[in-house]
mmCIF file of all heavy atoms in Angstrom:
data_model
loop_
_atom_site.group_PDB
_atom_site.id
_atom_site.type_symbol
_atom_site.label_atom_id
_atom_site.label_comp_id
_atom_site.label_asym_id
_atom_site.label_seq_id
_atom_site.Cartn_x
_atom_site.Cartn_y
_atom_site.Cartn_z
ATOM 1 N N LYS A 173 0.785 -1.230 0.040
ATOM 2 C CA LYS A 173 0.021 0.047 -0.024
ATOM 3 C C LYS A 173 0.832 1.311 0.046
ATOM 4 O O LYS A 173 0.616 2.117 -0.795
ATOM 5 C CB LYS A 173 -0.855 0.008 1.249
ATOM 6 C CG LYS A 173 -1.885 1.208 1.338
ATOM 7 C CD LYS A 173 -2.748 1.169 2.480
ATOM 8 C CE LYS A 173 -3.682 2.313 2.601
ATOM 9 N NZ LYS A 173 -4.686 2.149 3.811
ATOM 10 N N ALA A 174 1.962 1.236 0.829
ATOM 11 C CA ALA A 174 2.758 2.381 0.910
ATOM 12 C C ALA A 174 3.541 2.744 -0.384
ATOM 13 O O ALA A 174 3.615 3.877 -0.803
ATOM 14 C CB ALA A 174 3.829 2.275 2.051
ATOM 15 N N GLU A 175 3.872 1.642 -1.105
ATOM 16 C CA GLU A 175 4.591 1.812 -2.312
ATOM 17 C C GLU A 175 3.641 2.266 -3.404
ATOM 18 O O GLU A 175 3.976 3.129 -4.181
ATOM 19 C CB GLU A 175 5.255 0.522 -2.773
ATOM 20 C CG GLU A 175 6.072 0.713 -4.082
ATOM 21 C CD GLU A 175 7.039 -0.450 -4.302
ATOM 22 O OE1 GLU A 175 7.585 -0.910 -3.206
ATOM 23 O OE2 GLU A 175 7.212 -0.792 -5.512
ATOM 24 N N ILE A 176 2.458 1.787 -3.454
ATOM 25 C CA ILE A 176 1.480 2.290 -4.516
ATOM 26 C C ILE A 176 1.144 3.727 -4.279
ATOM 27 O O ILE A 176 1.031 4.535 -5.112
ATOM 28 C CB ILE A 176 0.206 1.382 -4.469
ATOM 29 C CG1 ILE A 176 0.566 -0.086 -4.808
ATOM 30 C CG2 ILE A 176 -0.873 2.003 -5.331
ATOM 31 C CD1 ILE A 176 -0.645 -1.013 -4.697
ATOM 32 N N GLN A 177 1.019 3.994 -2.968
ATOM 33 C CA GLN A 177 0.707 5.498 -2.654
ATOM 34 C C GLN A 177 1.855 6.394 -3.125
ATOM 35 O O GLN A 177 1.570 7.482 -3.654
ATOM 36 C CB GLN A 177 0.522 5.665 -1.091
ATOM 37 C CG GLN A 177 -0.873 5.065 -0.639
ATOM 38 C CD GLN A 177 -0.959 5.148 0.868
ATOM 39 O OE1 GLN A 177 0.038 4.947 1.576
ATOM 40 N NE2 GLN A 177 -2.197 5.152 1.327
ATOM 41 N N ARG A 178 3.157 5.954 -2.942
ATOM 42 C CA ARG A 178 4.192 6.846 -3.350
ATOM 43 C C ARG A 178 4.182 6.982 -4.920
ATOM 44 O O ARG A 178 4.445 8.021 -5.419
ATOM 45 C CB ARG A 178 5.529 6.130 -2.998
ATOM 46 C CG ARG A 178 5.929 6.301 -1.397
ATOM 47 C CD ARG A 178 7.350 6.018 -1.168
ATOM 48 N NE ARG A 178 7.672 4.595 -1.643
ATOM 49 C CZ ARG A 178 7.701 3.480 -0.854
ATOM 50 N NH1 ARG A 178 7.167 3.583 0.407
ATOM 51 N NH2 ARG A 178 8.047 2.358 -1.368
ATOM 52 N N LEU A 179 4.024 5.823 -5.560
ATOM 53 C CA LEU A 179 3.978 5.896 -7.013
ATOM 54 C C LEU A 179 2.757 6.768 -7.570
ATOM 55 O O LEU A 179 2.964 7.425 -8.555
ATOM 56 C CB LEU A 179 3.904 4.458 -7.608
ATOM 57 C CG LEU A 179 5.229 3.566 -7.272
ATOM 58 C CD1 LEU A 179 4.765 2.210 -7.556
ATOM 59 C CD2 LEU A 179 6.270 4.036 -8.211
ATOM 60 N N ALA A 180 1.715 6.652 -6.896
ATOM 61 C CA ALA A 180 0.532 7.463 -7.296
ATOM 62 C C ALA A 180 0.845 8.916 -7.188
ATOM 63 O O ALA A 180 0.420 9.729 -8.024
ATOM 64 C CB ALA A 180 -0.731 7.034 -6.572
ATOM 65 N N LYS A 181 1.538 9.297 -6.076
ATOM 66 C CA LYS A 181 1.890 10.710 -5.933
ATOM 67 C C LYS A 181 2.860 11.176 -6.975
ATOM 68 O O LYS A 181 2.880 12.446 -7.232
ATOM 69 C CB LYS A 181 2.492 10.913 -4.589
ATOM 70 C CG LYS A 181 1.537 10.768 -3.348
ATOM 71 C CD LYS A 181 2.132 11.043 -1.918
ATOM 72 C CE LYS A 181 1.019 10.811 -0.936
ATOM 73 N NZ LYS A 181 1.702 10.925 0.279
ATOM 74 N N GLN A 182 3.611 10.259 -7.510
ATOM 75 C CA GLN A 182 4.562 10.698 -8.572
ATOM 76 C C GLN A 182 3.871 10.755 -9.976
ATOM 77 O O GLN A 182 4.513 11.080 -10.921
ATOM 78 C CB GLN A 182 5.724 9.666 -8.592
ATOM 79 C CG GLN A 182 6.607 9.692 -7.501
ATOM 80 C CD GLN A 182 7.705 8.706 -7.595
ATOM 81 O OE1 GLN A 182 8.400 8.594 -8.617
ATOM 82 N NE2 GLN A 182 8.122 8.048 -6.469
ATOM 83 N N GLY A 183 2.625 10.330 -10.018
ATOM 84 C CA GLY A 183 1.846 10.471 -11.215
ATOM 85 C C GLY A 183 1.546 9.183 -12.032
ATOM 86 O O GLY A 183 0.932 9.241 -13.071
ATOM 87 N N TYR A 184 2.090 8.057 -11.447
ATOM 88 C CA TYR A 184 1.745 6.749 -12.115
ATOM 89 C C TYR A 184 0.323 6.527 -11.960
ATOM 90 O O TYR A 184 -0.247 6.462 -10.863
ATOM 91 C CB TYR A 184 2.645 5.638 -11.543
ATOM 92 C CG TYR A 184 4.146 5.711 -11.813
ATOM 93 C CD1 TYR A 184 4.917 6.374 -10.933
ATOM 94 C CD2 TYR A 184 4.697 5.375 -12.996
ATOM 95 C CE1 TYR A 184 6.348 6.530 -11.224
ATOM 96 C CE2 TYR A 184 6.010 5.466 -13.410
ATOM 97 C CZ TYR A 184 6.833 6.056 -12.516
ATOM 98 O OH TYR A 184 8.067 6.155 -12.733
ATOM 99 N N LYS A 185 -0.342 6.059 -13.139
ATOM 100 C CA LYS A 185 -1.742 5.891 -13.052
ATOM 101 C C LYS A 185 -2.112 4.395 -13.193
ATOM 102 O O LYS A 185 -3.248 4.029 -12.810
ATOM 103 C CB LYS A 185 -2.454 6.652 -14.224
ATOM 104 C CG LYS A 185 -2.408 8.248 -13.983
ATOM 105 C CD LYS A 185 -3.088 8.946 -15.229
ATOM 106 C CE LYS A 185 -3.046 10.424 -14.922
ATOM 107 N NZ LYS A 185 -3.633 11.168 -16.100
ATOM 108 N N GLU A 186 -1.115 3.620 -13.735
ATOM 109 C CA GLU A 186 -1.397 2.102 -13.824
ATOM 110 C C GLU A 186 -0.304 1.404 -13.081
ATOM 111 O O GLU A 186 0.801 1.646 -13.091
ATOM 112 C CB GLU A 186 -1.293 1.862 -15.269
ATOM 113 C CG GLU A 186 -1.598 0.292 -15.550
ATOM 114 C CD GLU A 186 -1.707 0.035 -17.074
ATOM 115 O OE1 GLU A 186 -2.277 0.824 -17.777
ATOM 116 O OE2 GLU A 186 -0.982 -0.933 -17.493
ATOM 117 N N ILE A 187 -0.828 0.329 -12.312
ATOM 118 C CA ILE A 187 0.084 -0.567 -11.584
ATOM 119 C C ILE A 187 -0.183 -1.981 -12.146
ATOM 120 O O ILE A 187 -1.336 -2.410 -12.503
ATOM 121 C CB ILE A 187 -0.004 -0.467 -10.107
ATOM 122 C CG1 ILE A 187 -1.520 -0.899 -9.733
ATOM 123 C CG2 ILE A 187 0.323 0.862 -9.519
ATOM 124 C CD1 ILE A 187 -1.513 -1.173 -8.183
ATOM 125 N N VAL A 188 0.852 -2.723 -12.200
ATOM 126 C CA VAL A 188 0.741 -4.183 -12.536
ATOM 127 C C VAL A 188 1.307 -4.972 -11.399
ATOM 128 O O VAL A 188 2.479 -4.925 -11.049
ATOM 129 C CB VAL A 188 1.492 -4.510 -13.873
ATOM 130 C CG1 VAL A 188 1.250 -5.891 -14.268
ATOM 131 C CG2 VAL A 188 1.136 -3.543 -14.919
ATOM 132 N N LEU A 189 0.473 -5.840 -10.688
ATOM 133 C CA LEU A 189 0.889 -6.646 -9.707
ATOM 134 C C LEU A 189 1.546 -7.873 -10.223
ATOM 135 O O LEU A 189 0.972 -8.579 -11.064
ATOM 136 C CB LEU A 189 -0.358 -7.044 -8.857
ATOM 137 C CG LEU A 189 -1.107 -5.869 -8.193
ATOM 138 C CD1 LEU A 189 -2.390 -6.376 -7.577
ATOM 139 C CD2 LEU A 189 -0.301 -5.072 -7.291
ATOM 140 N N THR A 190 2.783 -8.136 -9.750
ATOM 141 C CA THR A 190 3.581 -9.241 -10.219
ATOM 142 C C THR A 190 4.124 -10.181 -9.265
ATOM 143 O O THR A 190 4.143 -9.785 -8.064
ATOM 144 C CB THR A 190 4.728 -8.760 -11.190
ATOM 145 O OG1 THR A 190 5.645 -8.106 -10.308
ATOM 146 C CG2 THR A 190 4.266 -7.933 -12.311
ATOM 147 N N GLY A 191 4.401 -11.429 -9.608
ATOM 148 C CA GLY A 191 5.039 -12.342 -8.702
ATOM 149 C C GLY A 191 5.335 -13.557 -9.466
ATOM 150 O O GLY A 191 5.038 -13.762 -10.559
ATOM 151 N N ILE A 192 6.198 -14.451 -8.774
ATOM 152 C CA ILE A 192 6.472 -15.777 -9.428
ATOM 153 C C ILE A 192 5.213 -16.593 -9.591
ATOM 154 O O ILE A 192 4.972 -17.296 -10.574
ATOM 155 C CB ILE A 192 7.617 -16.502 -8.632
ATOM 156 C CG1 ILE A 192 8.903 -15.670 -8.561
ATOM 157 C CG2 ILE A 192 7.829 -17.880 -9.166
ATOM 158 C CD1 ILE A 192 9.492 -15.382 -9.993
ATOM 159 N N ASP A 193 4.429 -16.665 -8.479
ATOM 160 C CA ASP A 193 3.125 -17.378 -8.431
ATOM 161 C C ASP A 193 2.104 -16.368 -7.845
ATOM 162 O O ASP A 193 1.779 -16.523 -6.731
ATOM 163 C CB ASP A 193 3.242 -18.733 -7.744
ATOM 164 C CG ASP A 193 1.893 -19.537 -7.827
ATOM 165 O OD1 ASP A 193 1.021 -19.064 -8.507
ATOM 166 O OD2 ASP A 193 1.766 -20.505 -7.083
ATOM 167 N N LEU A 194 1.683 -15.329 -8.584
ATOM 168 C CA LEU A 194 1.036 -14.233 -7.957
ATOM 169 C C LEU A 194 -0.297 -14.610 -7.362
ATOM 170 O O LEU A 194 -0.653 -14.193 -6.354
ATOM 171 C CB LEU A 194 0.599 -13.238 -9.179
ATOM 172 C CG LEU A 194 -0.148 -12.047 -8.862
ATOM 173 C CD1 LEU A 194 0.620 -11.107 -7.958
ATOM 174 C CD2 LEU A 194 -0.449 -11.245 -10.127
ATOM 175 N N GLY A 195 -0.957 -15.571 -7.991
ATOM 176 C CA GLY A 195 -2.214 -16.136 -7.372
ATOM 177 C C GLY A 195 -2.048 -16.795 -5.965
ATOM 178 O O GLY A 195 -3.158 -16.854 -5.405
ATOM 179 N N ASP A 196 -0.907 -17.114 -5.629
ATOM 180 C CA ASP A 196 -0.701 -17.580 -4.322
ATOM 181 C C ASP A 196 -0.393 -16.690 -3.287
ATOM 182 O O ASP A 196 0.187 -17.032 -2.225
ATOM 183 C CB ASP A 196 0.485 -18.756 -4.422
ATOM 184 C CG ASP A 196 0.446 -19.760 -3.179
ATOM 185 O OD1 ASP A 196 -0.650 -20.091 -2.667
ATOM 186 O OD2 ASP A 196 1.541 -20.037 -2.690
ATOM 187 N N TYR A 197 -0.610 -15.352 -3.628
ATOM 188 C CA TYR A 197 -0.262 -14.373 -2.617
ATOM 189 C C TYR A 197 -1.053 -14.722 -1.190
ATOM 190 O O TYR A 197 -2.334 -14.799 -1.232
ATOM 191 C CB TYR A 197 -0.712 -12.915 -3.081
ATOM 192 C CG TYR A 197 -0.582 -11.920 -2.050
ATOM 193 C CD1 TYR A 197 0.631 -11.214 -1.901
ATOM 194 C CD2 TYR A 197 -1.623 -11.537 -1.112
ATOM 195 C CE1 TYR A 197 0.844 -10.238 -1.011
ATOM 196 C CE2 TYR A 197 -1.402 -10.639 -0.126
ATOM 197 C CZ TYR A 197 -0.085 -10.071 -0.020
ATOM 198 O OH TYR A 197 0.122 -8.966 0.972
ATOM 199 N N ARG A 198 -0.380 -14.752 -0.119
ATOM 200 C CA ARG A 198 -0.867 -14.968 1.078
ATOM 201 C C ARG A 198 -0.088 -14.295 2.320
ATOM 202 O O ARG A 198 0.962 -14.740 2.566
ATOM 203 C CB ARG A 198 -0.982 -16.520 1.377
ATOM 204 C CG ARG A 198 -1.733 -17.400 0.561
ATOM 205 C CD ARG A 198 -1.398 -18.854 0.787
ATOM 206 N NE ARG A 198 -2.152 -19.592 -0.196
ATOM 207 C CZ ARG A 198 -3.480 -20.104 -0.067
ATOM 208 N NH1 ARG A 198 -4.098 -19.932 1.163
ATOM 209 N NH2 ARG A 198 -3.986 -20.811 -0.894
ATOM 210 N N PHE A 199 -0.552 -13.201 2.710
ATOM 211 C CA PHE A 199 0.032 -12.516 3.895
ATOM 212 C C PHE A 199 -1.032 -12.413 5.058
ATOM 213 O O PHE A 199 -2.070 -11.750 4.987
ATOM 214 C CB PHE A 199 0.478 -11.167 3.461
ATOM 215 C CG PHE A 199 1.126 -10.394 4.674
ATOM 216 C CD1 PHE A 199 2.486 -10.663 4.980
ATOM 217 C CD2 PHE A 199 0.401 -9.446 5.368
ATOM 218 C CE1 PHE A 199 3.058 -10.027 6.002
ATOM 219 C CE2 PHE A 199 0.970 -8.745 6.416
ATOM 220 C CZ PHE A 199 2.316 -9.101 6.825
ATOM 221 N N LYS A 200 -0.812 -13.242 6.053
ATOM 222 C CA LYS A 200 -1.690 -13.374 7.209
ATOM 223 C C LYS A 200 -2.980 -13.895 6.606
ATOM 224 O O LYS A 200 -2.952 -14.871 6.033
ATOM 225 C CB LYS A 200 -1.802 -12.105 7.916
ATOM 226 C CG LYS A 200 -0.511 -11.631 8.621
ATOM 227 C CD LYS A 200 -0.760 -10.349 9.458
ATOM 228 C CE LYS A 200 0.650 -9.935 10.111
ATOM 229 N NZ LYS A 200 0.599 -8.726 10.815
ATOM 230 N N ASP A 201 -4.173 -13.102 6.715
ATOM 231 C CA ASP A 201 -5.301 -13.543 6.294
ATOM 232 C C ASP A 201 -5.616 -12.886 4.895
ATOM 233 O O ASP A 201 -6.813 -13.008 4.335
ATOM 234 C CB ASP A 201 -6.446 -13.136 7.137
ATOM 235 C CG ASP A 201 -6.377 -13.943 8.440
ATOM 236 O OD1 ASP A 201 -6.042 -15.023 8.499
ATOM 237 O OD2 ASP A 201 -6.727 -13.554 9.604
ATOM 238 N N TYR A 202 -4.737 -12.141 4.344
ATOM 239 C CA TYR A 202 -4.939 -11.413 3.183
ATOM 240 C C TYR A 202 -4.570 -12.344 1.811
ATOM 241 O O TYR A 202 -3.539 -13.073 1.828
ATOM 242 C CB TYR A 202 -4.173 -10.177 3.068
ATOM 243 C CG TYR A 202 -4.418 -9.144 4.081
ATOM 244 C CD1 TYR A 202 -3.679 -8.996 5.199
ATOM 245 C CD2 TYR A 202 -5.611 -8.416 4.000
ATOM 246 C CE1 TYR A 202 -4.010 -8.047 6.204
ATOM 247 C CE2 TYR A 202 -6.037 -7.453 5.057
ATOM 248 C CZ TYR A 202 -5.083 -7.227 6.195
ATOM 249 O OH TYR A 202 -5.483 -6.390 7.033
ATOM 250 N N ARG A 203 -5.385 -12.170 0.787
ATOM 251 C CA ARG A 203 -5.145 -12.766 -0.457
ATOM 252 C C ARG A 203 -5.158 -11.838 -1.593
ATOM 253 O O ARG A 203 -5.227 -10.660 -1.266
ATOM 254 C CB ARG A 203 -6.303 -13.823 -0.732
ATOM 255 C CG ARG A 203 -6.458 -14.988 0.343
ATOM 256 C CD ARG A 203 -5.206 -15.911 0.483
ATOM 257 N NE ARG A 203 -5.388 -16.889 1.441
ATOM 258 C CZ ARG A 203 -4.898 -16.901 2.691
ATOM 259 N NH1 ARG A 203 -4.242 -15.720 3.124
ATOM 260 N NH2 ARG A 203 -5.072 -17.821 3.546
ATOM 261 N N LEU A 204 -4.929 -12.304 -2.773
ATOM 262 C CA LEU A 204 -4.797 -11.481 -3.893
ATOM 263 C C LEU A 204 -5.972 -10.452 -4.038
ATOM 264 O O LEU A 204 -5.727 -9.267 -4.439
ATOM 265 C CB LEU A 204 -4.551 -12.190 -5.106
ATOM 266 C CG LEU A 204 -4.311 -11.369 -6.447
ATOM 267 C CD1 LEU A 204 -3.160 -10.513 -6.313
ATOM 268 C CD2 LEU A 204 -4.259 -12.355 -7.626
ATOM 269 N N ALA A 205 -7.126 -10.958 -3.821
ATOM 270 C CA ALA A 205 -8.300 -9.986 -3.977
ATOM 271 C C ALA A 205 -8.270 -8.860 -3.038
ATOM 272 O O ALA A 205 -8.638 -7.821 -3.307
ATOM 273 C CB ALA A 205 -9.537 -10.772 -3.863
ATOM 274 N N ASP A 206 -7.777 -9.167 -1.860
ATOM 275 C CA ASP A 206 -7.590 -8.019 -0.829
ATOM 276 C C ASP A 206 -6.627 -7.026 -1.366
ATOM 277 O O ASP A 206 -6.812 -5.783 -0.984
ATOM 278 C CB ASP A 206 -7.177 -8.683 0.492
ATOM 279 C CG ASP A 206 -8.066 -9.659 1.107
ATOM 280 O OD1 ASP A 206 -9.254 -9.279 1.314
ATOM 281 O OD2 ASP A 206 -7.705 -10.813 1.214
ATOM 282 N N VAL A 207 -5.532 -7.508 -1.981
ATOM 283 C CA VAL A 207 -4.497 -6.622 -2.480
ATOM 284 C C VAL A 207 -5.159 -5.547 -3.476
ATOM 285 O O VAL A 207 -4.886 -4.353 -3.496
ATOM 286 C CB VAL A 207 -3.346 -7.203 -3.018
ATOM 287 C CG1 VAL A 207 -2.334 -6.132 -3.596
ATOM 288 C CG2 VAL A 207 -2.675 -7.959 -1.928
ATOM 289 N N ILE A 208 -5.889 -6.206 -4.349
ATOM 290 C CA ILE A 208 -6.534 -5.499 -5.467
ATOM 291 C C ILE A 208 -7.570 -4.459 -5.007
ATOM 292 O O ILE A 208 -7.643 -3.340 -5.436
ATOM 293 C CB ILE A 208 -7.287 -6.547 -6.482
ATOM 294 C CG1 ILE A 208 -6.125 -7.280 -7.239
ATOM 295 C CG2 ILE A 208 -8.064 -5.755 -7.553
ATOM 296 C CD1 ILE A 208 -6.723 -8.588 -7.922
ATOM 297 N N GLU A 209 -8.385 -4.947 -3.978
ATOM 298 C CA GLU A 209 -9.264 -4.049 -3.437
ATOM 299 C C GLU A 209 -8.559 -2.850 -2.799
ATOM 300 O O GLU A 209 -9.194 -1.695 -2.756
ATOM 301 C CB GLU A 209 -10.301 -4.769 -2.450
ATOM 302 C CG GLU A 209 -11.166 -5.798 -3.217
ATOM 303 C CD GLU A 209 -11.943 -6.607 -2.291
ATOM 304 O OE1 GLU A 209 -11.508 -6.855 -1.031
ATOM 305 O OE2 GLU A 209 -13.028 -7.112 -2.657
ATOM 306 N N MET A 210 -7.538 -3.140 -2.096
ATOM 307 C CA MET A 210 -6.840 -2.028 -1.389
ATOM 308 C C MET A 210 -6.229 -1.058 -2.345
ATOM 309 O O MET A 210 -6.447 0.170 -2.296
ATOM 310 C CB MET A 210 -5.705 -2.604 -0.646
ATOM 311 C CG MET A 210 -4.754 -1.685 0.099
ATOM 312 S SD MET A 210 -3.332 -1.259 -1.122
ATOM 313 C CE MET A 210 -2.498 -2.720 -1.130
#
């Protein structure tokens, strides 16, 4: 979230979420859909 906020302030309008196995994002109870909603 902090990185996206920094990039947005610099004028970036589009972000692409990447990973080796992106769909397996799991941080505590958060999943990929939570990152997208955030």
Side-chain angles (χ1 to χ4, degrees):
K173 182 178 181 180
E175 183 164 323
I176 297 174
Q177 288 173 330
R178 288 196 300 270
L179 293 167
K181 286 178 181 178
Q182 291 181 44
Y184 291 97
K185 294 180 179 178
E186 180 175 317
I187 61 166
V188 185
L189 303 175
T190 65
I192 298 299
D193 184 9
L194 180 64
D196 196 41
Y197 177 89
R198 297 170 183 270
F199 180 78
K200 296 181 178 178
D201 292 330
Y202 297 105
R203 300 294 183 266
L204 181 58
D206 298 299
V207 177
I208 292 171
E209 289 172 341
M210 173 271 291

